[in-house]
Amino acid sequence: TEAWSRAWALSDLPGLMQSLRSPFSLPDISKKIVRTAFLTLEAANVILYQYDADNNAFEPPVTHGPFCDAAIKEAGDPRDPKLSRLKEYVASDYVVDVQKHPILSLADEQARSRFIDRERIKSCAVLVLRDREGGKLVGLMFVNFQETHEFSAEEKRAMDALTISAASAIRTARLHKVELDAMREVHAAIAEKPDL
């Protein structure tokens, strides 16, 4: 029954991914991405850090699902040095045992307990969101599981497809925002000089 239920959830993924391509605002699209990952992949929780290449910085996370530590849901830490190390990954990483991962298992530099301990994370998919056209990093998404999770080939394919769609949706939303900002500037300039 569990395998059938998972197959049914994954079968709906193409439709969900298609809906990501609509021109929503960036905050809306981010929420939709983490919600889609959470519901489809039956994760304990999902965290998305968008990456701003122009400023070489991660933005505060967008989350979905329950968290033991409310602080991560509210703010997270986009300056976490682990993110800087993970952004060098070329492809997604499917981690069955987070305690053995060379980056996720590192001690927290701020002397707090590790996220994986606070949230009781056993397995995690670190999904690297890259723009297919330029290969630029647009974000990192963590799909967390509180039980040891063996990632099937079918799940990896589904997550890879979700990663491609999510990166494309973020890129499209960013371009849409740039276009809207440019149009607002033009309209403001015309309003100041109506004789133009």
Side-chain angles (χ1 to χ4, degrees):
T1 303
E2 185 177 327
W4 182 86
S5 174
R6 182 167 295 280
W8 177 258
L10 292 176
S11 72
D12 192 37
L13 190 57
L16 289 168
M17 289 187 306
Q18 185 64 32
S19 71
L20 291 178
R21 296 201 172 113
S22 302
F24 293 109
S25 70
L26 198 50
D28 289 343
I29 205 71
S30 300
K31 289 176 188 171
K32 194 164 190 175
I33 288 168
V34 293
R35 183 176 179 276
T36 298
F38 175 78
L39 294 174
T40 307
L41 303 170
E42 298 177 358
N45 53 55
V46 178
I47 306 170
L48 169 63
Y49 288 91
Q50 286 189 45
Y51 180 69
D52 179 356
D54 293 336
N55 295 312
N56 189 27
F58 284 94
E59 298 174 8
V62 177
T63 64
H64 197 86
F67 288 85
C68 300
D69 180 0
I72 186 70
K73 191 166 182 66
E74 298 305 319
D77 186 1
R79 295 162 297 152
D80 187 334
K82 293 176 189 173
L83 292 173
S84 295
R85 294 182 64 180
L86 290 167
K87 80 175 185 181
E88 303 305 323
Y89 279 35
V90 175
S92 297
D93 192 7
Y94 300 96
V95 186
V96 175
D97 184 353
V98 294
Q99 298 292 341
K100 294 180 181 176
H101 191 270
I103 297 174
L104 297 177
S105 65
L106 291 175
D108 192 320
E109 290 186 3
Q110 297 171 341
R112 297 190 319 162
S113 60
R114 299 179 304 176
F115 171 80
I116 59 175
D117 296 329
R118 292 193 314 271
E119 296 298 324
R120 300 188 303 274
I121 305 301
K122 301 280 191 241
S123 299
C124 175
V126 181
L127 304 180
V128 180
L129 281 60
R130 289 195 180 276
D131 180 353
R132 287 189 88 179
E133 292 183 21
K136 288 183 180 179
L137 181 73
V138 297
L140 291 172
M141 184 160 58
F142 299 85
V143 181
N144 300 310
F145 298 88
Q146 291 178 330
E147 302 291 332
T148 299
H149 191 90
E150 299 283 345
F151 296 92
S152 68
E154 182 184 19
E155 281 180 307
K156 288 179 183 179
R157 282 193 300 275
M159 288 190 204
D160 287 343
L162 178 60
T163 298
I164 291 166
S165 292
S168 174
I170 289 171
R171 179 179 175 275
T172 301
R174 285 179 176 175
L175 290 173
H176 188 63
K177 182 182 183 305
V178 168
E179 290 170 1
L180 285 176
D181 290 346
M183 287 173 59
R184 284 189 191 105
E185 287 181 24
V186 169
H187 285 274
I190 290 172
E192 285 179 15
K193 298 184 180 179
D195 57 320
L196 289 176

